[in-house]
Amino acid sequence: MSTPVPRSRRRPRFPAPGAAAPRQLVDRAKAGRSSVRRRATGMTATEAAAALEEARLQQHMDRDREELADDERGPAEVAEWERIAQLLVTTGGTYDPETDAVVQDELAADAERERAKQLEDNKRRHKEETETARRAALTPDVLRHALLRTLARTGLLDSLSEDEQAAVNRLPESDPAAALAVNALLARAHEAGAGLRPGTAS
């Protein structure tokens, strides 16, 4: 009777069938390195070397597991233990991620990527809000009311003929951009005319 292969102590790496899919892809290698750094905190070179051997043994036991064939976490953990063990041999003392230049460089890069992503998200949101506002401003009812208000302010509204009134009503439906331009031109013409009247500011 053959000796059974020891059961892996590593937690399952994939969700059980039927479990909800993650909202976003997880960087398995990065997660593995982060886990190693947490466990290595406070370790001496001897303790890190022992942890490295244990990780190598775990990786060896996992080599025939099909579900782990393409998983990057295991190899990343071994590589990180190797790096930390070598670092402690060189520097002595105990491991502290806050004094690990590699870790701090990664954290700085992550912060910069997050800042750039936030800026990009803000730009996209501003663009979407601007487009929404522009579309809202071009709805026929809004444009029609704007034209009527401008005509009333210029004093022309009461003097419109039926045909002119009909044209004002139709223009926002038939050509919103033209209605917006006409409204702006009327407002500018009125302001320019008011500035030329006696007793007004030039």
Side-chain angles (χ1 to χ4, degrees), residues 162-179:
E162 290 185 4
D163 289 342
E164 290 170 338
Q165 180 69 49
V168 168
N169 288 331
R170 286 197 308 270
L171 187 58
E173 290 278 3
S174 61
D175 194 337

Side-chain angles (χ1 to χ4, degrees), residues 12-141:
R13 299 181 184 276
F14 298 96
R23 293 183 179 180
Q24 60 182 7
L25 294 177
V26 175
D27 187 333
R28 300 287 298 165
K30 183 176 181 179
R33 289 191 294 271
S34 296
S35 175
V36 168
R37 291 164 186 171
R38 287 193 300 271
R39 286 180 283 162
T41 299
M43 283 187 176
T44 63
T46 300
E47 291 169 332
L52 169 60
E53 290 307 312
E54 183 179 356
R56 285 172 172 166
L57 176 60
Q58 184 67 61
Q59 184 70 12
H60 178 74
M61 290 191 297
D62 288 344
R63 71 187 186 282
D64 295 326
R65 295 178 61 184
E66 293 183 4
E67 72 273 22
L68 299 179
D70 298 322
D71 186 22
E72 298 177 345
R73 177 162 181 163
E77 289 183 355
V78 171
E80 188 64 1
W81 278 119
E82 289 174 345
R83 187 187 71 81
I84 291 174
Q86 183 58 48
L87 176 66
L88 291 175
V89 167
T90 303
T91 63
T94 59
Y95 180 71
D96 183 357
E98 293 187 1
T99 61
D100 187 336
V102 170
V103 174
Q104 296 307 309
D105 286 347
E106 287 182 7
L107 291 174
D110 287 345
E112 180 59 26
R113 279 192 296 271
E114 182 60 29
R115 187 186 70 84
K117 179 179 180 297
Q118 187 64 43
L119 287 175
E120 188 62 30
D121 288 345
N122 289 341
K123 284 174 58 178
R124 183 174 63 254
R125 184 163 54 251
H126 177 70
K127 184 177 180 180
E128 291 172 351
E129 290 172 352
T130 300
E131 178 62 17
T132 299
R134 187 190 71 83
R135 290 178 179 275
L138 290 177
T139 59
D141 285 344

